[in-house]
């Protein structure tokens, strides 16, 4: 895990350096910073809020931003707000067709075991 963290930090730093040339990257980079939670939950919350505010309603990064924003709220004990954000994330993912595989909905994780629900 440590090697992956170091590599992720390096890639994020490189992306942040190039973001000046493409301001549309800023909210996506905020999602990544929030997900990494490298400076604590307060910064995670701020980065996630910034990402959600900066992404268009039809941006495929929005469900992830909402999910990370919800996680920050859970960590701060605001489960009610987290539930609202998670519902928005799921609705956005469904609307965008995320979780589909060649037109089919993803099967439950246990489906490969041959069992029912």
């Amino acid at each position: 895990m440590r090697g992956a963290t170091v590599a992720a930090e390096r890639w994020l730093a490189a992306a942040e350096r190039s973001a000046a040339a493409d301001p549309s990257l800023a909210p996506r980079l905020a999602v990544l910073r929030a997900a990494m939670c490298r400076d604590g939950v307060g910064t995670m919350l701020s980065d996630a809020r910034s990402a959600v505010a900066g992404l268009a309603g039809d941006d495929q990064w929005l469900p992830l931003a909402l999910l990370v924003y919800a996680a920050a709220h859970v960590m701060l004990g605001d489960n009610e707000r987290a539930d609202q954000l998670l519902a928005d994330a799921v609705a956005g993912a469904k609307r965008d067709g995320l979780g589909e595989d060649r037109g089919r909905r993803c099967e439950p994780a246990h489906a490969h075991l041959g069992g029912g629900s």
Side-chain angles (χ1 to χ4, degrees), residues 17-38:
R17 285 189 300 271
S18 66
D22 186 357
S24 71
L25 292 177
R28 290 172 180 83
L29 293 173
V31 173
L32 296 176
R33 280 193 308 274
M36 293 172 73
C37 191
R38 63 183 178 186

Side-chain angles (χ1 to χ4, degrees), residues 13 35 37 77-78 85 103:
C37 191
D78 188 355
L85 292 165

Side-chain angles (χ1 to χ4, degrees), residues 54-69:
L55 292 167
D58 61 348
D59 193 304
Q60 287 194 336
W61 281 68
L62 185 57
L64 177 58
L66 289 165
L67 176 64
V68 174
Y69 199 17

Side-chain angles (χ1 to χ4, degrees), residues 1-12 36:
M1 290 295 279
R2 291 181 195 270
T5 301
V6 170
E9 291 282 352
R10 190 172 54 246
W11 282 107
L12 180 59
M36 293 172 73

Side-chain angles (χ1 to χ4, degrees), residues 39-109:
D39 295 320
V41 71
T43 302
M44 178 186 187
L45 183 71
S46 177
D47 284 337
R49 180 185 308 116
S50 174
V52 169
L55 292 167
D58 61 348
D59 193 304
Q60 287 194 336
W61 281 68
L62 185 57
L64 177 58
L66 289 165
L67 176 64
V68 174
Y69 199 17
H73 279 278
V74 167
M75 290 181 214
L76 292 170
D78 188 355
N79 294 337
E80 186 174 325
R81 179 69 176 132
D83 286 346
Q84 295 167 349
L85 292 165
L86 185 57
D88 291 345
V90 169
K94 285 181 179 179
R95 180 191 63 241
D96 292 346
L98 300 177
E100 292 183 1
D101 182 25
R102 295 190 178 134
R104 298 180 318 225
R105 300 301 296 173
C106 288
E107 296 178 10

